[in-house]
Amino acid sequence: MCGIVSYIGHRKAVPVLIEGLEKLEYRGYDSAGIATVLDGRIWCEKAVGRISVVAGRVEGKNIPSAVGIGHIRWATHGRPSDINSHPHTDCSGRFAVAHNGIIENFAELKAELQEKGHEFKSQTDTEVLPHLLEELYQGDLVGAVRQAVARLEGSYALAILSSEEPDKIVAVRKDSPLVVGLGQGENFLASDVTAILEYTRDVYILENGDMAVITADGVQLTDREGLPIQREIFHVEWDPVRAEKGGYDHFMLKEIHEQPRALCDTMAGRLKTDHVELAEVSISPETIKALPKIFIVACGTSYHAGMVGKYVIEKLARIPVEVDFASEFRYRDPMLKPEDLVIVISQSGETADTMAALREAKRVGSRILAITNVVGSSVAREADDIIYTWAGPEISVASTKAYTTQVLSLVMLALYFGQVRGTINHEEAEELFTALRLLPEQVETILEQATAIKTIADKIAQNEHVFFIGRSIDHGAALEGALKLKEISYLHAEAYAAGELKHGPLALITNGVPVIALATQDDVYDKMLSNIQEVKAREGYVIAVANEGNEDVANFADEVFYIPRTVKAASAILTVIPLQFLAYYVSLARGCDVDKPRNLAKSVTVE
Ligand code: AGP
């Protein structure tokens, strides 16, 4: 997730761009850059690091230009660096582009343009755009943009500036957000309103396929065919703080709602019609076929994703998997061999315990595959192979979209390994591909039922003990649900494999004690029903999470929250959503600081 700001009007553009990008830093802070037109040419200033680096470089330069585009980057393709920073320009220096999203077919476009002699400077997907414009421009910038965009596959919010036509900025939107800010004798573009609230509260919210041509005097909106369109002017009532959260009360709620997009982006360019492509994983098919064992090491929520990963990899790829807390791994003298694969999972990519486990694995000589959300993080730099979860910055301490994209990445990896090893047949693969593509839409349907969860949350919020139970993959999801609840609401929440209840934990179930029973796994459903009845027999209060259509469970549980049905391998991605909401609303009801819970940090860089 990146941030775009653009300006055209009567002010000096550079200060407007810098201030706007500062307000978008929560969208990404790997690098930043601005472009304007000076003496008939594109002029760029861009650098790795926070926007303050660029601000320092332009301070006092008093650049007169009244038009410009700016970008703040959360890296996806190409590590954070000066040269990978946006805006990107073409060989001739006449076109500058700022982009938020993922161009899935950038590799083939890049090869085609290189064939035609274009020289690329960066490793980014975005850089294909200015070179496409250079190739297509014949005196009509808008027409060239329309042709270029027609070649793109993937998601994009674009701001395009050209020294050939410096009196306009062209914007296009597909899947990544973009708004047009409307001023008097000036107009703006921004990834969200936070960046421009100081100048205007009247915006057009662009929709997929919309193109906007903004000048100092006006805005022309057209559809992808170039036909004029009308959009309602939206008057923004939010204050800047609320605007930064996209109108949500907390970053956690915003990030829960970002999961459909995050899942789409994480699949983008990887989930092909009938196979998985993991560009940053270079393990040979021979090595994959010979893999004797996989170790997964991580902490907290990432560890819980690893627990689900164990089920999924063993089921789909038939490779034995051990999952370890990173903080325990190197102290138990693990029976790790050089031919084993170690998967390291870390949202931040900086967790000290996880880094220490990674280095222990490297000492043994094992291959390291990192699943991380931060391009260029310590974990990414030291791993042999990487799968990035393209979830965008996760600000709230409680991890949500990172978890679901981590599980998705593990499912894609298991699918990839399974197809290489021949442990999945064509029908099973077909079913998995179909199910994964459906996930974002299914998550959306769960997000629409947040109010139902809030009702349940308000009923249990004053309890001091809550238990989560599940079997098979639901046990992995239960662990994550318990962590979410305890870390942001401070009540005691514990997860158990449901079959373990009778071996001790059942002694804790008394009248009214809430038990969240995850009952989505058909193969162990009858056993789960027995566990629910065990709890009910001790007068526990059972809140079941079950698949849509399962009317039976309502005869046993006090409350039921239904989720769409999906394949076993992907089920934790859906099951966890109501548990995220439950934690969020219980935390609210208990007056806790949802985004910054006591005693905790977003990235634990100490052991
Ligand atoms: C999860 O909500 C917590 N923020 C915490 O358990 C976190 O998952 C853990 O510290 C690991 O962080 P990482 O994924 O950045 O390594």
Side-chain angles (χ1 to χ4, degrees), residues 270-317:
R270 293 167 166 163
L271 202 68
K272 302 298 187 181
T273 313
D274 59 1
H275 67 285
V276 173
E277 279 181 17
L278 300 172
E280 294 112 334
V281 175
S282 54
I283 308 174
S284 71
E286 296 69 34
T287 304
I288 293 170
K289 286 173 184 164
L291 262 182
K293 190 168 187 178
I294 292 175
F295 288 77
I296 296 178
V297 288
C299 301
T301 286
S302 298
Y303 170 84
H304 296 151
M307 288 288 283
V308 174
K310 168 184 170 65
Y311 281 113
V312 170
I313 293 170
E314 289 187 343
K315 181 81 180 163
L316 299 182

Side-chain angles (χ1 to χ4, degrees), residues 21-268:
L21 292 175
E22 283 167 350
K23 296 190 178 80
L24 292 185
E25 277 208 305
Y26 69 89
R27 296 181 66 86
Y29 35 79
D30 288 331
S31 63
I34 59 174
T36 182
V37 178
L38 269 186
D39 306 328
R41 291 189 59 76
I42 291 285
W43 176 89
C44 255
E45 186 65 68
K46 57 186 192 175
V48 67
R50 313 287 296 225
I51 180 62
S52 55
V53 176
V54 172
R57 291 186 184 176
V58 300
E59 193 175 6
K61 284 191 173 173
N62 199 21
I63 293 161
S65 173
V67 62
I69 62 174
H71 184 274
I72 198 142
R73 185 172 185 237
W74 180 264
T76 54
H77 293 73
R79 64 182 181 75
S81 67
D82 289 356
I83 202 65
N84 285 338
S85 311
H86 301 216
H88 287 284
T89 55
D90 65 304
C91 308
S92 66
R94 293 177 296 148
F95 303 95
V97 179
H99 166 227
N100 176 25
I102 294 175
I103 306 298
E104 292 182 30
N105 61 332
F106 84 95
E108 57 206 71
L109 291 172
K110 183 170 181 175
E112 181 188 311
L113 289 158
Q114 286 174 318
E115 274 292 302
K116 292 176 178 172
H118 290 267
E119 290 185 13
F120 282 74
K121 304 180 278 289
S122 78
Q123 298 92 36
T124 65
D125 53 335
T126 304
E127 195 186 347
V128 297
L129 277 155
H131 293 289
L132 266 178
L133 293 171
E134 180 185 10
E135 196 61 29
L136 295 166
Y137 185 74
Q138 294 177 350
D140 170 14
L141 179 61
V142 172
V145 172
R146 210 180 297 288
Q147 289 179 67
V149 163
R151 299 290 313 278
L152 303 183
E153 292 169 17
S155 57
Y156 43 86
L158 300 173
I160 295 161
L161 180 66
S162 173
S163 56
E164 297 286 348
E165 300 179 32
D167 63 336
K168 62 174 71 79
I169 298 171
V170 183
V172 186
R173 188 253 156 124
K174 177 178 176 289
D175 291 338
S176 295
L178 197 58
V179 300
V180 177
L182 305 170
Q184 300 298 322
E186 60 184 5
N187 289 298
F188 308 77
L189 279 174
S191 295
D192 65 45
V193 296
T194 319
I196 55 175
L197 277 185
E198 183 181 339
Y199 304 101
T200 180
R201 288 182 172 273
D202 291 331
V203 299
Y204 290 130
I205 299 175
L206 295 185
E207 297 185 16
N208 277 355
D210 288 2
M211 176 185 279
V213 180
I214 67 171
T215 64
D217 305 322
V219 176
Q220 284 75 43
L221 300 179
T222 60
D223 63 14
R224 65 185 77 229
E225 281 72 44
L227 300 175
I229 54 175
Q230 297 298 321
R231 288 278 175 254
E232 285 288 305
I233 293 178
F234 176 75
H235 183 76
V236 179
E237 300 292 352
W238 301 327
D239 63 42
V241 172
R242 190 173 170 79
E244 194 175 43
K245 297 176 184 124
Y248 292 103
D249 290 334
H250 299 94
F251 277 112
M252 182 182 180
L253 191 58
K254 176 171 178 275
E255 287 154 9
I256 289 172
H257 282 270
E258 284 176 340
Q259 290 180 108
R261 176 80 261 140
L263 292 167
C264 280
D265 286 351
T266 301
M267 284 187 273

